[in-house]
């Protein structure tokens, strides 16, 4: 079976950065599983057909036919004490010339269709379990990105009040680098697994880093960078601010880490803290991460972290 590098990268991210003990590529439900299509699912399908563009559900005459085409690029399941705590269903589109499924309206309709079909499939086979439904792409052209982001907002709106525990997210362009690549790349020195294609490629390139010719020195002396300071404490703000409430919600819902930089940039990372318990030190756990250790965060220009519970 052909393995696509983007799918392999997202599987690595789901396993090692999002804490999923199980992560499968090209997941498809088996027709002999006991998942039941209920009257409520049929109603959602009819309501979706009425609410979304006709392009979304074209060429499908029934819900069973619509679901028969379901496939998720990467499906991850996180377990806590033997119980499924969260499911991550991720689809990735990697096109070097930018995401394009035809005209921009057609592309947006395709994304809505993917998200809607995945949502129905997840509710049938993982009823009651919180699910993150993601669409990722490293390159989406400006003309297309608005429709792609609108697709997630449409799904959030549609399922609000219909199914608790669904979260839809679009991760594209710089966000793809900040959230996925920047979290996965440092793992190349820790993970030894030949099935992790992206990490293996990074390890291969790393063998020759010392052999790459270095550019000639400029005649003018370069500007001196600020000295690296150690011994400082990384400022962290929590939302909500009550530490007990924050930890309780963190263990249930996960959080988003906003990195604030001296030049005004703000980058986001997902943090579900799957390995933490009620006795864990939240700030200590954060500051132990490689990129937040003393000396590292100052070097990269981080000035503070704002950590928000998902949904706040």
């Amino acid at each position: 079976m052909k393995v696509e590098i983007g799918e392999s990268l997202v599987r690595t991210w789901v396993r090692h950065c999002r804490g999923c003990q199980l992560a499968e590529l090209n997941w498809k439900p088996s027709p002999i599983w006991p998942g039941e299509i209920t009257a409520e699912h049929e109603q959602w399908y009819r309501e979706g057909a009425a609410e979304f563009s006709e392009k979304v559900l074209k060429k499908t005459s029934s819900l069973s036919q619509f679901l028969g085409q379901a496939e998720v690029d990467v499906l991850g399941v996180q377990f806590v004490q033997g119980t499924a705590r969260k499911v991550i269903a991720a689809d990735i589109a990697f096109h070097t010339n930018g995401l394009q499924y035809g005209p921009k309206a057609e592309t947006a309709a395709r994304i809505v269709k993917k998200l809607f079909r995945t949502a129905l499939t997840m509710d049938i086979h993982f009823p009651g379990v919180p699910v993150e439904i993601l669409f990722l792409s490293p390159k989406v052209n400006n003309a297309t990105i608005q429709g792609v982001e609108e697709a997630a907002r449409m799904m959030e709106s549609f399922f609000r009040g219909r199914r608790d525990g669904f979260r839809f997210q679009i991760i594209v362009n710089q966000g793809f680098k900040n959230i996925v690549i920047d979290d996965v790349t440092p793992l190349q020195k820790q993970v030894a697994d030949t099935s992790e294609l992206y990490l293996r490629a990074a390890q291969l390139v790393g063998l020759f880093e010392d052999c790459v010719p270095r550019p000639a020195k400029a005649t003018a002396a370069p500007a001196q960078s600020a000295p690296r300071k150690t011994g400082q404490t990384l400022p962290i703000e929590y939302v909500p601010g009550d530490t007990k409430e924050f930890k309780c919600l963190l263990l249930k819902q996960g959080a988003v880490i906003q990195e604030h930089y001296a030049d005004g940039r703000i980058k986001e990372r997902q943090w579900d803290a799957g390995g933490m318990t009620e006795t864990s030190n939240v700030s200590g756990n954060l500051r132990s991460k490689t990129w937040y250790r003393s000396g590292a965060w100052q070097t990269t220009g981080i000035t503070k972290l704002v950590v928000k519970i998902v949904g706040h």
Side-chain angles (χ1 to χ4, degrees):
M1 179 183 69
K2 181 185 76 171
V3 178
E4 207 277 333
I5 189 66
E7 295 174 359
S8 178
L9 167 61
V10 172
R11 176 177 178 266
T12 296
W13 176 66
V14 165
R15 291 186 67 208
H16 300 294
C17 303
R18 300 304 311 280
C20 291
Q21 293 92 335
L22 294 180
E24 182 174 343
L25 288 171
N26 302 307
W27 178 89
K28 298 183 70 171
S30 167
I32 62 174
W33 287 348
E36 179 185 1
I37 297 177
T38 67
E40 186 175 38
H41 296 135
E42 294 282 3
Q43 181 179 347
W44 290 353
Y45 177 75
R46 291 192 299 271
E47 291 170 347
E51 183 168 333
F52 307 140
S53 164
E54 62 179 14
K55 293 181 179 179
V56 173
L57 302 179
K58 67 179 182 180
K59 298 181 180 179
T60 55
S61 57
S62 66
L63 175 57
S64 59
Q65 181 186 2
F66 184 62
L67 295 177
Q69 303 164 11
E71 180 175 343
V72 178
D73 290 341
V74 180
L75 185 86
V77 184
Q78 181 187 87
F79 294 92
V80 176
Q81 297 181 342
T83 301
R85 173 187 174 185
K86 178 189 295 184
V87 173
I88 298 177
D91 279 297
I92 175 171
F94 173 28
H95 305 285
T96 55
N97 293 324
L99 177 68
Q100 191 173 16
Y101 295 140
K104 60 183 181 180
E106 176 69 21
T107 299
R110 289 271 298 268
I111 304 304
V112 170
K113 186 175 184 177
K114 280 178 177 287
L115 297 177
F116 188 47
R117 179 156 46 208
T118 298
L120 292 173
T121 302
M122 293 299 101
D123 194 69
I124 290 170
H125 294 286
F126 300 95
V129 180
V131 182
E132 291 185 25
I133 300 173
L134 312 178
F135 179 80
L136 307 97
S137 180
K139 186 174 182 180
V140 179
N141 298 322
N142 291 336
T144 306
I145 193 167
Q146 182 177 355
V148 173
E149 293 176 339
E150 178 62 23
R153 289 192 288 269
M154 290 173 64
M155 289 296 104
E156 289 278 6
S157 176
F158 181 84
F159 283 101
R160 189 176 298 119
R162 287 185 171 94
R163 206 284 200 182
D164 294 333
F166 272 168
R167 180 179 175 227
F168 298 86
Q169 186 176 10
I170 303 296
I171 302 176
V172 298
N173 296 349
Q174 189 65 31
F176 185 90
K177 179 182 182 300
N178 295 345
I179 295 172
V180 180
I181 293 179
D182 287 354
D183 266 8
V184 169
T185 302
L187 299 175
Q188 61 182 288
K189 296 182 180 180
Q190 304 173 46
V191 177
D193 185 340
T194 56
S195 72
E196 308 275 7
L197 297 188
Y198 176 84
L199 289 180
R200 290 293 287 170
Q203 291 163 354
L204 177 62
V205 173
L207 295 176
F208 299 94
E209 282 184 345
D210 293 336
C211 302
V212 177
R214 303 191 180 278
K217 293 183 178 180
T219 54
Q224 295 296 316
S225 59
R228 172 172 161 168
K229 298 178 181 179
T230 58
Q232 296 177 322
T233 301
L234 173 62
I236 304 175
E237 298 176 11
Y238 297 102
V239 181
D242 182 85
T243 54
K244 290 184 179 179
E245 180 186 5
F246 180 89
K247 183 188 288 189
C248 180
L249 292 172
L250 173 66
L251 297 175
K252 293 178 180 179
Q253 300 173 216
V256 174
I257 304 170
Q258 292 183 342
E259 301 171 348
H260 290 248
Y261 289 80
D263 60 5
R265 289 176 297 137
I266 299 177
K267 293 183 178 181
E268 287 194 353
R269 295 178 186 267
Q270 297 292 322
W271 185 33
D272 59 26
M276 294 183 63
T277 67
E278 293 180 356
T279 61
S280 298
N281 183 310
V282 175
S283 295
N285 185 283
L286 269 178
R287 293 193 175 103
S288 69
K289 296 183 182 299
T290 302
W291 43 88
Y292 300 144
R293 290 176 183 169
S294 180
W297 61 270
Q298 296 99 322
T299 300
T300 55
I302 295 175
T303 58
K304 70 174 181 179
L305 302 181
V306 177
V307 190
K308 298 181 178 182
I309 296 297
V310 171
H312 279 65

